[in-house]
């Protein structure tokens, strides 16, 4: 589950806990779906130690949808490469550590 979610106007900040699994990806998807279009989703991966590639696949659908803008921080090189492979390179405002 996300360690912290703090909606604030047209911005949602999500600090992920130790694991990013398909369950967390579905929770994030629900947040994006309920948010107004164009909301900035600030997604912090710094604490993630276990990341399922399937969860990144699910995240990529939200990145590609264009419903929200994403600022992604703290992804590992592998996580960034998986998203690149899934065709979502450049869809976040910031990526990497």
């Amino acid at each position: 589950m996300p360690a912290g979610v703090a909606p604030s106007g047209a911005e949602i900040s999500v600090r992920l806990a130790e694991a990013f699994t398909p369950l967390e990806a579905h929770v994030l998807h629900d947040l994006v779906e309920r948010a107004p279009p164009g909301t900035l989703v600030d997604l912090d991966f710094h604490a993630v130690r276990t990341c399922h590639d399937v969860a990144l696949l699910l995240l990529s659908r939200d990145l590609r949808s264009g419903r929200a803008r994403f600022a992604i921080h703290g992804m590992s090189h592998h996580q960034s490469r998986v998203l690149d492979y899934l065709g979502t390179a450049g869809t976040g405002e910031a990526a990497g550590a």
Side-chain angles (χ1 to χ4, degrees):
M1 280 305 214
V5 176
S8 133
E11 181 174 337
I12 299 172
S13 295
V14 179
R15 183 174 39 94
L16 297 168
E18 279 190 32
F20 186 58
T21 69
L23 176 62
E24 284 75 28
H26 285 296
V27 170
L28 180 61
H29 176 74
D30 289 342
L31 285 171
V32 170
E33 286 294 305
R34 289 183 301 197
T39 296
L40 175 63
V41 179
D42 188 61
L43 191 54
D44 185 349
F45 271 81
H46 282 102
V48 173
R49 300 294 170 252
T50 303
C51 184
H52 296 217
D53 290 348
V54 171
L56 293 173
L57 173 65
L58 295 170
L59 171 61
S60 73
R61 75 178 163 186
D62 291 320
L63 291 170
R64 286 190 318 268
S65 77
R67 178 165 174 73
R69 298 173 296 125
F70 284 83
I72 302 173
H73 312 280
M75 284 192 131
S76 72
H77 180 71
H78 172 75
Q79 294 159 352
S80 290
R81 297 270 299 167
V82 169
L83 287 181
D84 287 349
Y85 177 75
L86 294 169
T88 57
T91 54
E93 291 183 1

